[in-house]
Amino acid sequence: MITNYISRAEADELCDELIRQFMGEDDHELCVDIDCFVGGFLGCPVVYENFAEDDPDKIGFASDGVQPLRVRMNGRIQDQVYPRRTIVLDRVLLNPGEEYRRRFTLAHEAGHIIASRIDPNIRSGFHRVHDECRMYTAEELRQRLSIAEWQANVIAAALLMPRFIIKDALVRFNGGRRLPVYGSNIFAVREKVILQKMAKSLGVSHTALIIRLRDLDALKYHDLSEFINKELRPGGVIA
């Protein structure tokens, strides 16, 4: 149970300072070395195991030293208790093409660790992926939509994309200006290219970056009709 709730504003301020202290003189870099931050700065061991939980969406675990994690070891499924504040990630995240998801999952579990240091009553936490094709029970949805999981996601985004780094990225790729978006989700080709470059430089997914830019008010919204008239109907005439 969370008794000391961390707001988005608090997470932003806290993570800005954490990453500044971690990066030191290298704070001009855009990609946070989340592995070194978690292992060196926070002092949390990180191990990779083959998860054997009943819920296949579980891919990350922050141990409280009490709750066991079901893993597959030496061909056997067993419940393993890890030392407190050990982060365990599913080995699937080591596969090619999983780097962005691995980094966010590690940052998410680091979010649980940071929250537990502020509120010692917080217990172990899982990071789960969401499968749009799967039917979830009410309890599974409750776990995914819990305050603890939302809070860990907020902290994860603030660790990987702290405000000062997003500001630097906007300066580097868009002259410091907010990125224009039409309607709620439409980007012109130029902005899509900028987003791709930013996401690659930050070491995050395209989707995670857009969500973070929204949260930081780094997008400038325009009426969708502007996009249609500019991109689809140049001169007001359908091409």
Side-chain angles (χ1 to χ4, degrees):
M1 176 183 295
I2 291 182
T3 58
N4 192 350
Y5 170 76
I6 301 174
S7 69
R8 191 187 299 277
E10 288 173 321
D12 279 336
E13 186 172 357
L14 176 63
C15 292
D16 266 19
E17 183 59 25
L18 285 172
I19 297 301
R20 283 189 186 278
Q21 288 189 19
F22 164 67
M23 297 182 77
E25 297 299 322
D26 295 325
D27 64 0
H28 60 280
E29 296 292 333
L30 295 183
C31 186
V32 175
D33 189 339
I34 193 65
D35 295 89
C36 286
F37 173 77
V38 172
F41 192 85
L42 292 183
C44 298
V46 179
V47 298
Y48 291 85
E49 301 287 5
N50 292 313
F51 281 29
E53 289 283 330
D54 293 335
D55 184 347
D57 292 343
K58 291 179 179 178
I59 56 175
F61 178 72
S63 177
D64 59 6
V66 177
Q67 180 178 339
L69 174 68
R70 182 159 292 183
V71 296
R72 185 174 287 102
M73 290 183 174
N74 302 318
R76 295 175 55 249
I77 294 177
Q78 63 186 64
D79 290 338
Q80 183 77 19
V81 176
Y82 293 87
R84 191 167 182 239
R85 291 172 179 163
T86 297
I87 292 176
V88 189
L89 301 183
D90 195 322
R91 285 187 178 276
V92 70
L93 296 174
L94 295 174
N95 292 340
E98 293 286 353
E99 181 60 12
Y100 292 164
R101 191 163 68 135
R102 187 193 70 82
R103 282 170 50 80
F104 193 88
T105 302
L106 180 55
H108 175 97
E109 299 308 331
H112 281 301
I113 298 294
I114 291 170
S116 71
R117 290 183 178 178
I118 294 173
D119 182 353
N121 293 314
I122 294 178
R123 301 296 297 274
S124 59
F126 280 101
H127 177 54
R128 298 169 171 86
V129 295
H130 179 73
D131 185 351
E132 294 182 353
C133 297
R134 179 181 167 192
M135 295 293 292
Y136 291 102
T137 66
E139 175 60 20
E140 288 173 332
L141 288 174
R142 184 194 68 77
Q143 292 175 355
R144 283 163 175 75
L145 299 175
S146 72
I147 292 296
E149 293 306 303
W150 176 89
Q151 182 171 263
N153 277 336
V154 167
I155 295 175
L159 289 174
L160 292 172
M161 297 170 281
R163 294 174 299 183
F164 71 93
I165 285 184
I166 290 294
K167 181 179 179 181
D168 289 348
L170 285 172
V171 169
R172 185 175 304 186
F173 294 107
N174 199 45
R177 300 180 299 275
R178 290 185 296 168
L179 284 173
V181 57
Y182 300 90
S184 298
N185 302 291
I186 305 299
F187 293 92
V189 172
R190 174 185 175 275
E191 281 68 50
K192 286 184 177 181
V193 172
I194 290 174
L195 287 168
Q196 291 171 353
K197 291 180 178 179
M198 286 181 64
K200 183 177 181 180
S201 296
L202 293 165
V204 299
S205 70
H206 183 269
T207 299
L209 174 60
I210 291 177
I211 293 173
R212 184 64 172 151
L213 292 174
R214 288 190 198 281
D215 291 341
L216 294 179
D217 192 29
L219 300 178
K220 186 175 182 180
Y221 291 91
H222 298 265
D223 193 279
L224 186 55
S225 62
E226 292 184 38
F227 176 82
I228 293 174
N229 291 329
K230 180 181 178 181
E231 304 292 338
L232 303 182
R233 300 181 65 224
V237 178
I238 298 178

